[in-house]
């Protein structure tokens, strides 16, 4: 029964990928928003949704068996960070892990100041906004035009009453990497120099975008105190996360309830998803070199091809200090919303800003912090790749995007005042785009 269910769901899940069509049904270039569940992950999870449904906290052997698999998954996730199983706390998502790290540090230190940046994910932004309304102090550090952060700014922002410094490892919108290990060392130095090192400050990094994209196996030997991971960004399911808390770092539960997770996080563990996350962590390590070579090459080729084809486009963020899978591109004189709509009609998934802020009319807070004008910030699209993308995906996207942008620019009132004014033949651009759309629809319906 379990095997049949697994087989059927797998057939359904992966049907589009195995179709011999002229192009895949969906070209998914939004892997920073979420990722597909790897078939190996799904396979590992199924027994825990069917046969092995015992509660890992139960005393009988049917529960103990499940507890054993939970322990195994914990070891696998720990290996991703070069850590020990005791340093891994399973949560429900990256957001909970982020919230928990900050909450815990405020509780254990009794201090009331947080240092963070202006470009964090809403998981940190909105929590710190809330804490500020509750009377806590928050310093939000600016970034430079290329999205990078000044270490001196971090050092200067730390005060005697700072409980925690929370700075993301990789930006979800631009892929820009912050030197978090150096920052962690700086925070530790400040802590050791303080009159009571037990009272912080501690260092947390939201590393949700990093597993499988950069090597994290040195985390445990670094000075990072807390680190957040989310399952659905590394080909595990949605609804499972991890908070790494360094050995001997005191943790106060954020979700209060039973004594699960050694008293650090109440609530019966999401066993199937945790087992899936364990398998995903193994795969992330196995495929790390693919991400850093093939995926990076795909991203670079995509960028270079667009830069060669289209004038007035700009890559946001320091190009040699980014995740290998992410590109964020400003297409001047066009609204990102129009681009995304057209991409969607062509079966291409991409996004502007983070999935958590989609629908907002405000320009991205990340791009605004980098100093982009509101008009340029509203023209930016993020494409994020994974090792499930193929050369055919990129080829198709490159066929679609340039004429689409030209067509949109031709119709855009935004370019009317520009000295180039593109001097497009509006009718020709429209015709070209209509022809492309017809070809695409024919290929889909084939
Ligand atoms: N932090 C970053 C950098 C993210 O990109 C995301 C998700 O987009 C999160 C936190 C939130 O993770 P989750 O969706 O698991 O709550």
């Amino acid at each position: 029964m379990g095997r049949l269910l697994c087989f059927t769901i797998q057939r359904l899940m992966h049907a589009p990928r195995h179709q011999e069509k002229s192009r895949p049904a969906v070209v998914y270039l939004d892997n920073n928003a979420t990722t597909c569940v790897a078939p190996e992950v799904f396979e590992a999870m199924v027994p825990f949704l069917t046969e092995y449904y015992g509660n890992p906290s139960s005393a009988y052997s049917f529960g103990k068996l499940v507890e054993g698999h939970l322990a195994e998954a914990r070891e696998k996730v720990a290996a991703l960070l070069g850590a020990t199983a005791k340093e891994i706390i399973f949560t429900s998502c990256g957001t909970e892990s982020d919230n928990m790290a900050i909450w815990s540090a405020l509780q254990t230190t009794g201090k009331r100041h947080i240092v963070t940046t202006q470009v964090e994910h809403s998981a940190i932004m909105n929590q710190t906004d809330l804490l500020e309304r509750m009377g806590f102090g928050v310093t939000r550090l600016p970034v430079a035009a290329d999205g990078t952060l000044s270490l001196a700014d971090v050092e200067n922002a730390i005060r005697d009453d700072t409980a925690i410094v929370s700075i993301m490892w990789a930006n979800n919108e631009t892929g820009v990497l912050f030197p978090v290990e150096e920052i962690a060392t700086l925070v530790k130095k400040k802590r050791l120099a303080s009159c009571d090192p037990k009272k912080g400050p501690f260092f947390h990094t939201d590393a949700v975008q990093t597993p499988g994209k950069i090597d994290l196996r040195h985390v445990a030997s670094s000075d990072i105190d807390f680190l957040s991971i989310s399952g659905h960004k590394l080909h595990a399911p949605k609804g499972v996360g991890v908070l790494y808390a360094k050995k001997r770092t005191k943790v106060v539960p954020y979700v209060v309830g039973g004594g699960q997770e050694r008293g650090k996080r109440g609530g019966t563990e999401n066993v199937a998803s945790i087992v899936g996350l364990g398998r995903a962590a193994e795969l992330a390590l196995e495929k790390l070199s693919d991400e850093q070579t093939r995926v990076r090459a795909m991203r670079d080729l995509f960028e270079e091809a667009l830069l060669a084809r289209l004038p007035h486009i700009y890559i946001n963020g320091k190009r040699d200090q980014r995740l290998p899978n992410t590109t964020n591109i400003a297409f001047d004189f066009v609204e990102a919303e129009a681009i995304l709509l057209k991409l969607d009609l062509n079966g291409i998934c991409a996004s502007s800003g983070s999935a958590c802020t989609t629908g907002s009319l405000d320009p991205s807070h990340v791009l605004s912090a980098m100093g982009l004008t509101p008009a340029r910030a509203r023209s930016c699209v993020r494409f994020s790749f994974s090792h499930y993308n193929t050369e055919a995906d990129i080829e198709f996207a490159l066929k679609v995007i340039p004429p689409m942008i030209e067509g949109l620019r031709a119709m855009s009132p935004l370019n009317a005042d520009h000295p180039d004014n593109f001097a497009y033949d509006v009718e020709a651009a429209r015709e070209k785009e209509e022809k492309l759309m017809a070809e695409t629809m024919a290929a889909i319906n084939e």
Side-chain angles (χ1 to χ4, degrees), residues 32-33 93-95 98 121 123 168 170 172 206 208-209 230 232-233 356:
N32 285 11
C93 58
T95 301
D98 284 349
H121 184 269
M168 70 200 320
N172 47 301
D206 174 342
V208 162
Q209 290 294 343
S230 168
H232 73 105
K233 309 290 182 178
C356 305

Side-chain angles (χ1 to χ4, degrees), residues 407 410-411 425-436:
M411 290 182 273
D425 177 339
V426 177
E427 273 316 307
R430 206 170 276 159
E431 244 172 57
K432 202 164 145 193
E433 210 204 335
E434 272 167 15
K435 186 165 166 271
L436 179 86

Side-chain angles (χ1 to χ4, degrees), residues 364-433:
S364 142
H365 70 283
V366 174
L367 301 175
S368 301
M370 289 163 66
L372 272 72
T373 60
R376 180 166 289 172
R378 283 200 190 90
S379 78
C380 297
V381 177
R382 175 189 72 186
F383 300 90
S384 46
F385 307 95
S386 88
H387 45 253
Y388 287 94
N389 285 123
T390 62
E391 278 66 22
D393 290 344
I394 308 306
E395 234 171 73
F396 179 70
L398 287 173
K399 191 172 162 218
V400 167
I401 296 170
M404 173 191 294
I405 299 295
E406 283 169 0
L408 286 168
R409 279 180 174 168
M411 290 182 273
S412 170
L414 298 174
N415 92 49
D417 300 331
H418 192 274
D420 289 1
N421 195 17
F422 300 117
Y424 284 141
D425 177 339
V426 177
E427 273 316 307
R430 206 170 276 159
E431 244 172 57
K432 202 164 145 193
E433 210 204 335

Side-chain angles (χ1 to χ4, degrees), residues 230-286:
S230 168
H232 73 105
K233 309 290 182 178
L234 69 144
H235 303 288
K238 295 158 188 68
V240 62
V242 169
L243 180 66
Y244 157 86
K246 198 177 191 60
K247 220 181 320 185
R248 288 189 282 276
T249 307
K250 218 170 150 213
V251 175
V252 168
Y254 184 66
V255 175
V256 184
Q260 292 90 350
E261 297 300 289
R262 303 172 70 239
K264 292 174 183 154
R265 198 267 182 186
T268 304
E269 291 91 346
N270 179 356
V271 176
S273 296
I274 290 172
V275 169
L277 179 53
R279 186 73 185 100
E282 281 183 321
L283 293 171
L285 280 179
E286 278 169 28

